[in-house]
Structures are given as C-alpha cells and as structure tokens.
C-alpha cells in the first residue's frame, strides 16, 4: 500500500525554559537543508499552573 508523500508536519514540544525553547527553534532553523524541510512557522507559549511553568514550542515543517 502506498503511504503517500509527506507534505507538512506540525510538531509540538514541551520544554522547561524560554532559553530551551529558543534553542529548539534555532536548531530546527539550522537543520532545514539537511532535514529536507522548510520551517514555515514557529511559536513558543509560556504556560503556568500553580507554582510550575513550562514552554510549549510549535514548529511547522513543509517538505
């Protein structure tokens, strides 16, 4: 059965700090050529619950 051709992938990651989020985004930007994709959008959103906080990073890759 033919699985088709991957066109676009949206990935979401949870990291502990905004610095880790920036590093994750920069890493995705740097690996575009070797990964065979274009990073078309990205975002990071800080989340808090009681005394905990984390950052959600969203990457959209087009192949």
């Amino acid at each position: 059965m033919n699985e088709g051709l991957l066109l676009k992938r949206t990935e979401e990651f949870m990291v502990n700090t905004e610095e880790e989020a920036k590093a994750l985004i920069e890493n995705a930007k740097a690996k575009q050529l070797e990964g065979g994709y274009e990073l078309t959008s990205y975002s990071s959103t800080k989340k808090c619950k009681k005394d905990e906080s984390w950052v959600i990073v969203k990457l959209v890759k087009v192949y």
Side-chain angles (χ1 to χ4, degrees):
M1 182 175 184
N2 187 352
E3 293 183 22
L5 179 65
L6 176 63
L7 299 176
K8 181 168 124 176
R9 174 179 287 156
T10 301
E11 301 174 348
E12 291 189 31
F13 300 89
M14 183 175 74
V15 295
N16 293 318
T17 66
E18 291 181 25
E19 291 77 24
E20 289 176 332
K22 288 177 187 176
L24 185 64
I25 291 167
E26 291 304 317
N27 187 42
K29 286 181 182 179
K31 293 191 174 185
Q32 291 181 91
L33 286 178
E34 74 181 59
Y37 62 86
E38 179 183 356
L39 187 63
T40 58
S41 69
Y42 54 88
S43 64
S44 61
T45 307
K46 188 169 185 176
K47 301 285 187 174
C48 298
K49 185 176 180 182
K50 295 187 181 180
D51 60 348
E52 294 181 290
S53 67
W54 61 93
V55 181
I56 300 295
V57 178
K58 182 177 179 181
L59 306 174
V60 178
K61 299 175 179 178
V62 174
Y63 291 86

